[in-house]
Each structure stands twice: as C-alpha cells, then as structure tokens.
Amino acid sequence: MGDHDTVRVRLRAALCAADPWSALYALHSPNADRPGPLAGAVEELYRSDTDHTAFRPYLTWLLRSLGEPGDAVLLRLLAAPGLAGDDRQDLLRTAVVRGLRLPAELLRTYAQDAPASSGGDAGTGGSLAPELVDAMGLSGDPSFAPLLGALLDPAAPRGRAALALGRLGARAWTAPIAGRLSEVTGLDHTAFTVALELMGDPTAVPHLLRWLAESGEERVYDVHHALVRLTGRDPLLPERASGAA
C-alpha cells in the first residue's frame, strides 16, 4: 500500500473514531511530516465521500492547518463546478481565515450565484454573505469597491464592508465611511475606524477629530489609534477634543 493510500486509510479511521479530534491531532502531529499526502487525502474525501458533510468541520480544519498544500486544495475545491452552497460557504470562510487571495472572477461568480448567509440570494438583492465580503477585501481587486460601498448600510454587513474597502485601499470611500462614524456603534464603529486606518488616507483626520469633539462616547481608543497612525503624532491626543482644539 502506497503512502497516499496509507494516509487516506488513516484519515478515514480518524474521522470515524469515537474522538475524531484527538485522532486527527495525532494524525497531524508535527512529527508526522506529511502535509502533502494528507492534503491530497482530504481533497479526495471532500470530492468523493458520501459522508463528507458530516466530516466537513474536520476536513476544513485540516486544510486550514496544512499550510501551502492545504491552500492549493482549497483553491481547487472552490473552483470546482457544482459545489454545494454549504460547502462553498465553509471553504470560503476557511480561505478567508488563511488570508488567501482568491481569483476575482470566482468571487464575481459567487456574488451572482451564492446564497447569502442571511438566507437571501446575493445576486438578486440580498446582502452578500460576510465571508464573501471578506474575500473581496482580500482579493486586491479594486473593481469590487462599488459593490462593497453599496453595503455601507444598516441592513448589510456594513462593518465587514468597510474593512474590505480599507484592505483594498479604496480611498474614494474614505469620506463615505468617515461620514458614517456617528451612525455606527460597537464593533461596527471599530470596523469603520480601522478601515480608515488601513486606507492610510489623511483626509480622514478632520472627520475623526470632529467625531471626538461631538461624540459623547467614553470609549474612543479606536479613534485615538487611527489618528496616531494617520498623523504620526505621539503621545495620543486628549480623550476629549474641544472644537477649538
């Protein structure tokens, strides 16, 4: 029995064990030193095994932890025609965790065909699935900016959309994001502020200072951090900025 067959048999045995996680950790121990064959066995099970739906959490964990061989499998599986919606969503989420730059054409196809996480259809007016928004931000393709900008809306994953625009460096959206700082709270506010920081656009500074002057918020550390990064000023600005300041 060849190495590939041995790894495949051991992988199936681990997945069917009473404690699959412990079995998989043992299979994928640092001493195993066989990421290539293991990645190939994962791909084979994902493509052909009737039980792969039950195994999905384990298989995607393996792909996430196998480095470049796992990344190559992720890209091949995501490009496979006829991929089920749940599989596509899970693989896409795993690719985002890995920080992979997926082909722009593949993401455009997903935007048209993939159901959104909220249950609507992404291509017919529903909000894009959050993991698809993240993948667009990691794509490096500025053509996604208008689509992402349309998601800076309360009904959409607006915080994720802002971060995606920031990762793309889409500075045309600096003012629209900064102008909405007073509309967002909690994690969305942090996401909007980090997006401005990622863009590195100094035109965001007046907006941030205005928000400091007008906001009644007590926790403003994200805005302070963005201002330091954008202006190079250290130490941090005062917690409260008057209009004159």
Side-chain angles (χ1 to χ4, degrees):
M1 182 179 291
D3 189 49
H4 174 76
D5 292 333
T6 301
V7 171
R8 183 180 58 192
V9 169
R10 291 184 61 196
L11 174 58
R12 171 164 277 286
L15 292 169
C16 296
D19 183 1
W21 287 117
S22 295
L24 287 171
Y25 282 131
L27 179 65
H28 181 47
S29 67
N31 297 326
D33 194 28
R34 54 178 67 183
L38 185 52
V42 171
E43 181 175 10
E44 187 174 322
L45 278 180
Y46 215 105
R47 289 182 182 274
S48 64
D49 200 281
T50 56
D51 297 326
H52 94 272
T53 300
F55 295 155
R56 187 191 297 129
Y58 309 111
L59 296 176
T60 50
W61 173 81
L62 281 169
L63 291 177
R64 194 166 64 241
S65 60
L66 286 172
E68 291 184 4
D71 294 344
V73 172
L74 276 170
L75 291 171
R76 288 196 295 270
L77 290 175
L78 281 165
L83 192 64
D86 288 343
D87 290 331
R88 177 184 291 186
Q89 184 178 7
D90 199 53
L91 291 169
L92 187 58
R93 188 180 297 117
T94 304
V96 167
V97 171
R98 288 288 300 159
L100 297 183
R101 178 175 287 192
L102 299 177
E105 283 305 315
L106 178 66
L107 297 179
R108 289 191 187 95
T109 299
Y110 281 12
Q112 290 296 321
D113 300 337
S117 291
S118 59
D121 186 86
T124 57
S127 177
L128 292 180
E131 57 274 2
L132 182 54
V133 173
D134 293 340
M136 289 178 175
L138 292 170
S139 70
D141 191 328
S143 69
F144 288 122
L147 180 59
L148 294 168
L151 298 178
L152 300 176
D153 179 85
R158 62 194 315 193
R160 274 186 146 95
L163 284 172
L165 288 164
R167 292 187 181 107
L168 288 175
R171 291 189 173 188
W173 291 92
T174 296
I177 291 173
R180 288 172 168 82
L181 281 176
S182 60
E183 302 175 9
V184 291
T185 58
L187 291 177
D188 278 345
H189 187 276
T190 300
F192 273 49
T193 307
V194 172
L196 296 173
E197 185 177 325
L198 288 172
M199 285 184 187
D201 188 349
T203 64
V205 170
H207 295 278
L208 293 167
L209 289 173
R210 187 178 308 114
W211 185 89
L212 276 180
E214 297 175 354
S215 172
E217 294 285 337
E218 293 297 327
R219 297 176 61 85
V220 294
Y221 311 117
D222 52 352
V223 175
H224 283 168
H225 193 275
L227 283 167
V228 170
R229 291 289 298 273
L230 291 170
T231 65
R233 290 184 59 184
D234 193 26
L236 294 177
L237 294 167
E239 286 196 2
R240 283 279 174 260
S242 67

